[in-house]
Structures are given as C-alpha cells and as structure tokens.
Amino acid sequence: MNRLTTAYLAKESEGHLIGADETINGIFNILKDTGNGDVVVRHWIDETGVKMAASRGASCVVTQDARGNALEVAKKNGLPLILTEKIELTNAFAIKWAINKFAPNTLRVVVTGTNGKSTTTHMIYKILSEAGYITHTNTDSESEFNTLIDPMVAKQIAEFRDGLEALVLEVSEVQGWDERNMEDHAHFMTRAIRPQVVVLTNVALDHIGLVNSLAEASKEISGVLNGFEGQHVILNHDDPLILEMEKLVPASAMVTFYGSGTEVEFAEEGIFHGSKLLIPLDDLPFKSPHFIQNTLAAIGTAIALKIDPEIIRTAVKSYQPLKRRFTVLKQDPLIIDDFAHNPDGIKATIKSAAELAPGKLHLVCAIRGSRGNSINLLNAHAVADSIKNLDCDLILTSSEDVVDDNNQVKDPEKKVFIEVMQKEGINCIHYATLREALKKALSSSNNNDTILLIGAQGMDPASDVLKTIKSE
C-alpha cells in the first residue's frame, strides 16, 4: 500500500478516473492545505477549487460532485480527477492508508454512539497521555474533525509522522448530507482504523432523516462490531440497546461493562472499581449525570488497558472538558453553555442545570436549522417535558445573525417548536437573533439565577456574542 497510484485509488473509491494513471507521492489533504503531490478529497469541487489544487501541485482530486467547468479545467491543467458516488470510501481508504504508512503499531481506540462520544474520546486521550503515550485524537478543545466528510484525520496522522503511539478516534454513528445517508458509516470507519478497543456509549435519536428509529440507530452503531478483530469492547450497561450488543462481540474479544451494577460504577461517594473507591466525588471535575456516564466509559477503557489507577485518578481529576460541554461561562448569574442538541442530551443537560440553580432557570435554546421538522418536534417535546415543572423562563432563537446558509432555521422548523410550547402551556419568547436572545436572558436574570444555553450551530458563538454584549 506504500506505492499509491491514481488508478488504484479510483478502484478503492469505486470511482472513475479522468486523466492519467500517475503515482501519488503526497498525503491525503484538504484543499486549503494541499501541498505538492497530495490528494485533494472534497465532496464537491468547482473550477476554482480545481485551479487551486493544480497550482499547488496536487497529484489528483477525488470528488463526488464536479461542479461548473471543473472537469474541463482539470483536463486543461493535466490534473487527474476521480469521480465517485461514495466519497466516504475514499476517506475510509485515506485513514487506512495513513495508519498503515505512518502509525501501523499504534494502540487504536474507537468511540461511537449517539451521545457522549466527544467527551469520552477526549477523556480517554487525556488518560493515555497521562500514562505516557504519545497520543493523537480527532476531538479536542478547539475542534472536532469529521472522519468521513473530509480527510482531516488521515492528514493529521501523516503530518504527525514518527513517534505516534496511540490514536483515540471519535466515529460518528451516522453521516450524510442533503438527505444522503452514508449507510454503515461506523462500520466503514472502524474497519479502516482496525482498533484494538471499541467503546459504545448509548443509542438515541439525533440525525433524523439519516436514521428514523432507535432500531435504525442501533443497527448503525452496532456496525462497529461487524468484523471486529480487536481485543476489548467497552459497553454501557445502563443502555439496554447497547447491552444487547454484547451478543455481537466476537468470542476472541473481552467485554468490559460500565454503569450500574458493574465493576465500574458510580455511587454516592464517587466512582468505584469493584469494591474500591477509585475517584472520590470531590475529585470529579463535573458531577452531572451525563458527564459521569462519559467518565465511567473512559475509566472502563483505561482499566481494560491496565492503566495504573493512580494515573487514571490524576488524569480525571485534572481533566478540562471540551468547549460547550456543560461549560461555565460566568458566575452571578451562573451561565452554563452546552452542546445539547438532541432529545436525550437536552433532557440530561436541563436536569443537571436545574439541580445547580438556587434561583430561577433561564433557558436559551437555539432551534436546529435546516434539520427538518422531525428532530425539532422531538427536541421541543424534550424541552417541554424537562421544564414544565420548573421555575423556568424559556427563550428560543433562530440565531439568524450567526449561522451560515446551511444552518438557517426554516419557518416550519420554528413553527413546530413554538406550537409544542403552546400546546404544553409553556410561555416562551422567540428572537430571530442570538444576540437579542442573550440580551433578554441577561436583563431578566438575578445574580442567584442560572442561564442555560443549549443547541448546536445556532448556539456555538454564544460565548463570543456574550463578550460583545458585556463590552457595550
């Protein structure tokens, strides 16, 4: 696999090569960082992108959608172009190639599920780093790189070069865009990574349209166990659908459960391993139920890998959570920012925030834009169910001032959210912009109140918007 050609890559991508069969001497890369000999992988590209790739000396371009005059410009510049209907095959091959070439002897951990992937992945990364491994992860405090939409992880592994000892990779349970479902996403990525350890967090509904039932979500997540050849599978004992996946684990692999009634569980005093208190409650950086669940998953993984308990304790105690994972932005009033964007995440986050609120809870929720009515209907019911018995003010926003065209809230999405609140008898205010919504929450709150910010892209810039409001 060390000698790679455009014709071989076209075959692996199930694509059609337009141009010459040439040797590829570079790495898989994103367009803006492409260097001489690299392979550019984009799910769409136009003539401007092709000109940029050619000017930077790219070996070829792989795309699912050649727009405008992209093909003509590629031919004119002598740049081989591969057209494929499944760009995910290219990116799965890219990460497999990068691992084989630059990191063949690494310890590799894959984390997947609906909720908790990012925090679990990052905490495992922290524990392995504390244990002395030279470790890389695709989930960090600044960004989360999608392992099938672009070749970012393959690029990072290639640029890391020598010395890498461990990879901890988050794999989305499903992927797609424009109603295009990349079936078996988790299976494809896991097969490409060939991990020794797989961690399964939970099964819930998130990507409505890509999967439309818990059964479909469970099937996609369990795909990581199809053909698994590693040594350890870490399962959430508190999730019945994850628990059922034990029967899919190959006989050659060991199963470690975490959660209630297992060897790795949480009790009033803290987190226990067997009968021994491993991490006292006071040493946990956050004590919300979903954070504890993620911590149990990371600790279960570390124990399976025989990491010293003292190292685990030190890593967890000093852990700094990811951006927008129950992040405290301010005190007096307490402002908490969380990425909660699907029903289970919303319920868990509101419950945790309510337990911290001595005064009134002010909930600012960004409606999910361009994701359809179904997910917003489910999210609205999750919000309504969570706050109907609380002293809570609800503020909704479409975040028109901060989202791009791909995340604009459509009128039906806004309508379905507000209608649920009306039917449930919950008063709410809607603001078109995030700035207006945040100003309202600030002006309505007292020092002993709690402001909880939830949502995905529409709430991502909240901390920056708050800073500009404060400076006024």
Side-chain angles (χ1 to χ4, degrees), residues 290-311:
H290 54 302
F291 182 86
I292 289 172
Q293 196 75 24
N294 300 336
T295 306
L296 292 173
I299 291 173
T301 304
I303 288 171
L305 292 172
K306 302 188 184 308
I307 304 296
D308 183 271
E310 189 57 40
I311 290 174

Side-chain angles (χ1 to χ4, degrees), residues 112 171-173 184-191 220-221 223-224:
T112 194
V171 171
S172 179
E173 76 280 22
D184 298 323
H185 170 96
H187 169 66
F188 274 129
M189 283 310 304
T190 304
R191 186 175 66 179
E220 291 295 323
I221 292 167
V224 302

Side-chain angles (χ1 to χ4, degrees), residues 362 395 431 436-446 451:
H362 302 264
I395 301 170
Y431 290 98
E436 290 176 296
L438 295 176
K439 288 183 74 172
K440 176 61 177 178
L442 289 169
S443 65
S444 303
S445 59
N446 297 317
I451 300 173

Side-chain angles (χ1 to χ4, degrees), residues 177-194:
W177 67 86
D178 297 336
E179 298 182 353
R180 151 98 156 84
N181 183 6
M182 295 180 178
E183 294 183 4
D184 298 323
H185 170 96
H187 169 66
F188 274 129
M189 283 310 304
T190 304
R191 186 175 66 179
I193 297 166
R194 293 177 296 112

Side-chain angles (χ1 to χ4, degrees), residues 80-323:
L81 189 146
I82 297 171
L83 278 176
T84 176
E85 294 184 358
K86 294 183 177 181
I87 198 69
E88 61 265 36
L89 295 179
T90 307
N91 284 306
F93 175 81
I95 196 168
K96 179 180 178 180
W97 177 85
I99 288 172
N100 285 347
K101 187 173 179 66
F102 302 109
N105 300 315
T106 48
L107 166 65
R108 295 181 295 279
V109 179
V110 159
V111 180
T112 194
T114 306
N115 296 315
K117 297 186 296 294
S118 297
T119 298
T120 300
T121 300
H122 196 238
M123 187 174 284
I124 294 170
Y125 162 79
K126 176 73 186 305
I127 294 171
L128 291 181
S129 298
E130 188 75 29
Y133 286 86
I134 299 173
T135 311
H136 176 69
T137 182
N138 62 330
T139 302
D140 60 32
S141 59
E142 297 298 326
S143 55
E144 299 167 30
F145 299 115
N146 188 300
T147 52
L148 264 185
I149 298 298
D150 59 44
M152 182 61 78
V153 174
K155 160 189 164 66
Q156 291 172 331
I157 293 170
E159 291 176 342
F160 208 106
R161 301 289 173 169
D162 299 328
L164 191 60
E165 296 174 328
L167 284 166
V168 187
L169 300 178
E170 172 185 347
V171 171
S172 179
E173 76 280 22
V174 294
Q175 264 309 341
W177 67 86
D178 297 336
E179 298 182 353
R180 151 98 156 84
N181 183 6
M182 295 180 178
E183 294 183 4
D184 298 323
H185 170 96
H187 169 66
F188 274 129
M189 283 310 304
T190 304
R191 186 175 66 179
I193 297 166
R194 293 177 296 112
Q196 296 91 336
V197 184
V198 160
V199 186
L200 302 182
T201 61
N202 74 337
V203 180
L205 282 180
D206 185 0
H207 305 277
I208 302 296
L210 300 180
V211 292
N212 296 296
S213 68
L214 285 175
E216 288 182 17
S218 182
K219 177 180 178 294
E220 291 295 323
I221 292 167
S222 65
V224 302
L225 298 173
N226 182 13
F228 177 65
E229 297 179 350
Q231 291 80 50
H232 298 283
V233 176
I234 318 299
L235 299 178
N236 182 356
H237 194 266
D238 293 326
D239 188 296
L241 291 175
I242 293 293
L243 194 56
E244 285 183 11
M245 295 178 194
E246 181 187 9
K247 62 188 178 185
L248 302 177
V249 178
S252 58
M254 294 182 62
V255 175
T256 297
F257 291 109
Y258 65 92
S260 304
T262 74
E263 285 291 297
V264 185
E265 67 176 336
F266 176 76
E268 187 175 333
E269 298 88 350
I271 292 178
F272 285 79
H273 177 219
S275 59
K276 184 176 181 181
L277 180 62
L278 181 63
I279 303 177
L281 182 64
D282 289 343
D283 285 349
L284 292 175
F286 284 91
K287 299 164 182 65
S288 59
H290 54 302
F291 182 86
I292 289 172
Q293 196 75 24
N294 300 336
T295 306
L296 292 173
I299 291 173
T301 304
I303 288 171
L305 292 172
K306 302 188 184 308
I307 304 296
D308 183 271
E310 189 57 40
I311 290 174
I312 298 174
R313 186 179 300 110
T314 300
V316 172
K317 183 177 181 179
S318 61
Y319 178 72
Q320 295 295 316
L322 290 162
K323 183 179 180 181

